[in-house]
Amino acid sequence: MSAARAIGLVLGVAADGALGDPRRRLPVTAFRRLPQRSGAVAAGVAVIGGLLLERAGRGRPLVQASATAVTTWAVLGAAGLALQGTELARDLEESRFDPARATLSELDPRVADGLDLVGLSRASVETVAENTSDAVVAPLVWGAVAGVPGLLGARTVSLLRRARMGRRGHWAIDRLDELVHLVPTRVAAGLTVLAAPVVGGSAGGAWRAWRRDTIAHPSPNAGRVEAAFAGALEVRVGGRTVYPHGVAELPVLGVGRNPDAGHVTRAVELSRVVGWLAGVTSVVLAVVAGFWRRSR
């Protein structure tokens, strides 16, 4: 069964990269709108549905591989993130700030109005980094360990946190999100260190920023991957960030210059490499978890 899960993850990752703009895929868009419309019920429905699919695949490798592949394709955000990140970089390069603000608002809940080139570039690098962890690494890690329920549950919690940010009851969702991403954020930061040289970045800078700068961050997870990306690209991110519910004074992550459009392009490239490394990692985890279950 571990082999079937691993094959399903590989097929799902490949499908996400091969089938074009995910915003035009009805099953994908329907899933990603569910938390906004149904609130906390969505997380329960997703996990229960995943458990039923996983149960249906027991002893039936073809069913399990197919269910894992389709679910991975539906929840994974790698292709969409690369597409929107590229749009951001292109608009910033051409000084088209209004379209850049609109694209940024699709990816991040911060208030983008009034951000200049430096502010938009900084926000874009942060957003690409955070979404690499939340929409790519976390679903794959949980999918490797827990199968279809892990894929659906991890992604739904991320979407639910964003939909409920600043609203009543968001504290409980935030704590659940922190728990779900406790391990994946660290995996994502580690993969960023490994991936940095592939895009001409600094592995040492990514490691130092990750270990040094996130100590001051108020969240146990937030900022870790952002710091690793900043260190890899040798830029500074963080600082004052405006959200609809208020202003957050966040620590500065990384050292060096302020990011520009070129750094956004490199952040997208780094995100792609981290995504493929996460795919490989998920396959290894799925196989190891399968052997561990059989040896018990």
Side-chain angles (χ1 to χ4, degrees):
M1 299 304 287
S2 60
R5 181 177 294 172
I7 291 170
L9 289 167
V10 170
L11 292 175
V13 171
D16 179 65
L19 295 180
D21 187 352
R23 290 172 293 185
R24 298 180 181 177
R25 306 178 209 157
L26 182 58
V28 178
T29 54
F31 169 78
R32 294 177 187 177
R33 289 171 183 167
L34 184 63
Q36 298 177 357
R37 296 179 178 179
S38 303
V41 176
V45 170
V47 173
I48 291 172
L51 287 170
L52 293 175
L53 281 173
E54 192 73 14
R55 185 178 182 84
R58 287 181 182 174
R60 303 160 73 184
L62 182 60
V63 173
Q64 186 181 48
S66 300
T68 303
V70 171
T71 306
T72 302
W73 167 72
V75 307
L76 206 61
L81 178 59
L83 181 66
Q84 290 176 289
T86 301
E87 290 176 357
L88 274 169
R90 182 176 60 247
D91 287 337
L92 292 174
E93 187 69 37
E94 298 173 357
S95 298
R96 298 192 302 166
F97 297 150
D98 286 339
R101 294 185 185 106
T103 302
L104 180 63
S105 296
E106 294 178 13
L107 291 168
D108 191 280
R110 78 183 69 202
V111 176
D113 296 343
L115 292 180
D116 58 8
L117 176 60
V118 172
L120 286 168
S121 298
R122 174 178 71 86
S124 297
V125 171
E126 293 173 1
T127 298
V128 169
E130 182 179 6
N131 278 278
T132 300
S133 178
D134 289 357
V136 183
V137 178
L140 289 173
V141 168
W142 277 106
V145 174
V148 175
L151 286 161
L152 291 171
R155 191 72 177 103
T156 302
V157 168
S158 294
L159 294 169
L160 186 60
R161 176 184 59 83
R162 176 175 175 177
R164 300 294 299 176
M165 182 174 287
R167 299 182 185 178
R168 184 178 180 181
H170 71 93
W171 183 89
I173 299 299
D174 289 347
R175 300 294 81 76
L176 177 61
D177 180 79
E178 288 177 356
L179 179 63
V180 167
H181 291 92
L182 196 64
V183 172
T185 51
R186 287 151 179 82
V187 173
L191 294 178
T192 302
V193 174
L194 293 177
V198 179
V199 298
S202 171
W207 171 259
R208 287 189 293 273
W210 170 25
R211 305 309 300 170
R212 178 192 63 227
D213 297 339
T214 53
I215 295 174
H217 206 284
S219 168
N221 299 327
R224 294 183 183 276
V225 181
E226 293 176 16
F229 265 63
L233 301 175
E234 298 178 292
V235 296
R236 291 177 296 154
V237 299
R240 187 174 187 270
T241 305
V242 181
Y243 294 100
H245 58 278
V247 178
E249 296 292 346
L250 302 175
V252 174
L253 308 174
V255 295
R257 57 180 291 188
N258 288 320
D260 56 25
H263 293 108
V264 178
T265 298
R266 291 179 64 204
V268 174
E269 295 171 353
L270 181 58
S271 174
R272 284 195 178 103
V273 178
V274 170
W276 285 111
L277 289 176
V280 173
T281 301
S282 70
V283 170
V284 173
L285 283 175
V287 173
V288 170
F291 282 131
W292 180 77
R293 282 191 293 269
R294 284 197 295 270
S295 66
R296 291 179 63 187

